[in-house]
């Protein structure tokens, strides 16, 4: 019966996805169908409802709606322009300077807002036209914007790292994950810049005007309080002054006050911002509800133990197992959203990698980077569609330009997977 339940679970899930049923509904329906093969209707439906409810009964998850709200306020509050101008003053004079500006601004805005989609939308809408005027193809601009926006999911504060902390069952703290994401996020950003340098030099893209020290200082001063939010939020969490949830509330207050002071946002704008944030949060929370129910069903059916035993017995080399898990996660990321993927597959793979000596915090960075690549690729590809839409370029044109960037992201993934010090240096330094 267990084998039949598993077959029904996966067959119904993939069938629903192919029918373009939203991911959250696909997860919930397939989980319910599978469970009803083993349990009578009323107890089964009650169990699913209970698991969905208890799945979001977590204080740590309160951080997500507040970070979503903070990101939405920053997107509309003029912060993106200040970060772009500061980044431009630093690197615009280099070959491919405007593309570097795109990467740096995405890293900064993504880190501050905690949202890759917000970074792609806010930065891409400004930079694509600027880059086209300097001779950059719009498809290339979109590719730079799409891939660099993923750095904000590694550099804290990051909502997906909070979700992973929940899925890890407390073996990885939010503070440790936040501090662990810095070096991998920066490494990914610099790797993308390296490829941009190659393109810029080989195709002779023009350099921008070199900024004087006075201009750099002026733009830094204007962006200072935006950048300070990172120090306040992450520094407060690492120092133990407040929790991630409390930090998210502080981020909302800080961003709101700053945006009102800048004058780019008015009090009358808050209702629409709250509505947009509420819609985003409801989607995320419903995904978490159904994903936690499916994760429980996996445990009920003994799937994690089956996969763990299969991998450990069939692949006796830990590097081969790590590589196999990476390949599986890369495939999963192409058709499943990050939140359900983290919640469903963390309980499956975490016991395997920890058995082989990988730290739960290290694996958190690995799984998130895997799924970052997934949201840049079809058929789901949230960032791919957002970045293409913002740049007003067809997805097919963007994909051709995107492929080398995806190869670079995979190369960085391999480095981070097999060199744990990249992720664990800062957590070990701060004894987290």
């Amino acid at each position: 019966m267990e084998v039949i339940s598993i077959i029904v679970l996966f067959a119904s899930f993939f069938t629903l996805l192919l029918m373009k049923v939203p991911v959250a509904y696909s997860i919930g329906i397939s989980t319910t169908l599978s469970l009803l093969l083993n349990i009578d209707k009323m107890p089964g439906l009650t169990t699913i409802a209970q698991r969905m409810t208890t799945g979001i009964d977590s204080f740590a998850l309160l951080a997500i709606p507040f970070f979503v709200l903070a990101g939405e306020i920053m997107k509309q509050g003029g912060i993106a322009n200040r970060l772009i101008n500061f980044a431009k003053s630093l690197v615009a004079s280099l070959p491919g300077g405007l593309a570097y500006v795109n990467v740096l601004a995405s890293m900064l805005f993504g880190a501050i807002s905690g949202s890759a989609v917000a970074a792609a939308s806010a930065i891409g809408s400004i930079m694509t036209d600027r880059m086209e005027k300097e001779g950059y193809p719009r498809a290339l601009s979109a590719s730079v914007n799409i891939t660099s926006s993923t750095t904000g999911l590694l550099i804290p504060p990051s909502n997906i790292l909070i979700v992973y902390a929940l899925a890890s069952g407390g073996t990885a703290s939010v503070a440790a994950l936040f501090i662990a994401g810095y070096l991998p996020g920066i490494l990914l950003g610099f790797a993308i810049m390296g490829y941009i340098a190659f393109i810029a030099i080989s195709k002779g893209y023009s350099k921008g005007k070199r900024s004087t020290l006075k201009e750099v200082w002026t733009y830094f001063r204007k962006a200072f309080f935006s950048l300070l939010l990172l120090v306040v939020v992450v520094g407060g969490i690492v120092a133990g002054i407040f929790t991630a949830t409390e930090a998210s509330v502080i981020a909302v207050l800080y961003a709101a006050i700053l945006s009102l002071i800048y004058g780019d946002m008015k009090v009358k704008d808050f209702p629409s911002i709250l509505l947009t944030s509420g819609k985003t949060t409801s989607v995320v929370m419903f995904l978490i509800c159904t994903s936690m129910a499916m994760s429980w069903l996996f445990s009920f059916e003994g799937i994690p133990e089956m996969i763990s035993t299969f991998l450990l017995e069939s692949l006796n080399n830990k590097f081969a197992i790590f590589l196999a898990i990476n390949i599986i996660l890369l495939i999963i990321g192409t058709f499943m959203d990050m939140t359900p993927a983290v919640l469903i597959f963390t309980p499956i793979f975490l016991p395997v990698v920890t058995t082989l000596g990988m730290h739960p915090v290290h694996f958190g960075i690995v799984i998130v980077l895997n799924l970052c690549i997934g949201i840049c690729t079809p058929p789901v590809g949230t960032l791919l569609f957002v970045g293409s839409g913002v740049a007003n370029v067809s997805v097919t044109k963007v994909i051709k330009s995107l492929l080398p960037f995806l190869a670079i992201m995979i190369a960085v993934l391999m480095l981070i997977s097999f060199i744990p010090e990249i992720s664990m240096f800062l957590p070990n330094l701060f004894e987290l």
Side-chain angles (χ1 to χ4, degrees):
M1 183 61 74
E2 287 183 0
V3 175
I4 296 175
S5 297
I6 294 170
I7 292 172
V8 168
L9 175 68
F10 286 105
S12 59
F13 175 64
F14 287 114
T15 301
L16 289 166
L17 284 182
L18 290 172
M19 293 170 63
K20 296 185 178 180
V21 175
V23 176
Y25 289 99
S26 299
I27 293 170
I29 293 169
S30 58
T31 301
T32 304
L33 290 175
S34 180
L35 185 62
L36 291 179
L37 291 177
N38 294 326
I39 301 177
D40 290 338
K41 184 171 68 173
M42 284 309 296
L45 294 175
T46 302
T47 300
I48 292 294
Q50 288 175 337
R51 293 296 167 180
M52 288 176 66
T53 304
T54 56
I56 57 171
D57 185 16
S58 170
F59 180 72
L61 286 181
L62 279 174
I64 292 178
F66 286 109
F67 276 131
V68 168
L69 177 56
E72 193 63 30
I73 292 171
M74 292 171 200
K75 180 180 173 182
Q76 298 191 32
I79 291 174
N81 263 320
R82 285 169 171 78
L83 294 176
I84 287 173
N85 289 334
F86 173 56
K88 187 176 180 180
S89 70
L90 293 176
V91 296
S93 62
L94 300 173
L98 274 185
Y100 293 147
V101 173
N102 197 326
V103 176
L104 276 181
S106 293
M107 290 172 70
L108 292 171
F109 189 85
I112 291 172
S113 68
S115 169
V117 172
S121 177
I123 304 302
S125 61
I126 298 170
M127 288 303 304
T128 304
D129 290 337
R130 291 189 186 183
M131 291 177 69
E132 186 178 33
K133 290 178 182 177
E134 296 292 332
Y136 295 85
R138 294 184 77 87
L140 175 63
S141 302
S143 299
V144 172
N145 183 39
I146 290 164
T147 51
S148 62
S149 295
T150 61
T151 57
L153 298 173
L154 293 169
I155 302 172
S158 166
N159 289 336
I160 197 63
L161 290 178
I162 296 172
V163 172
Y164 173 79
L166 172 70
S168 72
T171 57
S173 70
V174 173
L177 287 164
F178 274 13
I179 203 74
Y182 271 112
L183 292 183
I186 292 170
L187 175 62
L188 177 58
F190 283 174
I192 293 170
M193 287 183 184
Y195 179 64
I196 290 170
F198 169 76
I199 295 176
I201 293 171
S202 62
K203 296 194 174 182
Y205 288 129
S206 61
K207 302 178 182 180
K209 177 188 172 185
R210 181 182 294 275
S211 299
T212 64
L213 288 176
K214 183 179 179 181
E215 288 173 329
V216 172
W217 170 250
T218 299
Y219 288 123
F220 171 74
R221 185 166 47 81
K222 289 181 179 179
F224 174 75
F225 288 104
S226 302
L227 298 170
L228 187 62
L229 178 60
L230 276 177
V231 179
V232 171
V233 171
V234 180
I237 294 171
V238 173
I241 298 172
F242 39 71
T243 65
T245 303
E246 293 162 345
S248 66
V249 178
I250 291 169
V252 170
L253 292 172
Y254 189 106
I257 293 169
L258 192 61
S259 297
L260 289 172
I261 291 173
Y262 283 161
D264 294 303
M265 193 177 72
K266 307 296 181 184
V267 174
K268 65 180 182 180
D269 298 324
F270 277 97
S272 62
I273 291 173
L274 288 169
L275 181 61
T276 303
S277 301
K279 289 179 179 178
T280 303
T281 299
S282 63
V283 171
V284 173
M285 288 302 180
F286 187 49
L287 275 170
I288 292 174
C289 283
T290 55
S291 299
M292 291 298 285
M294 181 179 273
S295 181
W296 171 83
L297 182 64
F298 278 3
S299 179
F300 179 75
E301 298 287 357
I303 293 175
E305 292 78 9
M306 291 168 52
I307 294 177
S308 177
T309 301
F310 172 76
L311 287 173
L312 293 172
E313 290 182 356
S314 60
L315 299 172
N316 54 10
N317 184 310
K318 74 174 185 178
F319 295 104
I321 294 174
F322 291 162
L323 183 61
I325 290 173
N326 272 316
I327 292 171
I328 294 169
L329 289 172
L330 283 170
I331 295 170
I332 289 165
T334 62
F335 64 83
M336 186 177 286
D337 193 73
M338 294 187 78
T339 299
V342 166
L343 289 169
I344 292 168
F345 291 97
T346 295
I348 293 176
F349 293 127
L350 185 59
V352 178
V353 297
T354 51
T355 299
L356 297 173
M358 181 181 282
H359 197 284
V361 171
H362 178 202
F363 182 64
I365 302 302
V366 170
I367 191 172
V368 167
L369 181 51
N370 265 290
L371 299 173
C372 281
I373 297 171
I375 61 173
C376 297
T377 59
V380 176
T382 310
L383 273 184
L384 173 62
F385 293 109
V386 170
S388 300
V390 167
N392 197 23
V393 184
S394 68
V395 171
T396 52
K397 288 183 179 179
V398 172
I399 289 174
K400 183 178 179 182
S401 176
L402 190 65
L403 290 175
F405 290 93
L406 294 177
I408 288 166
M409 293 182 76
I410 292 172
V412 172
L413 170 64
M414 292 299 104
L415 285 175
I416 291 170
S417 297
F418 296 107
I419 307 176
E421 290 78 12
I422 297 174
S423 301
M424 297 306 300
F425 174 75
L426 290 178
N428 291 335
L429 182 66
F430 289 97
E431 298 181 354
L432 294 173

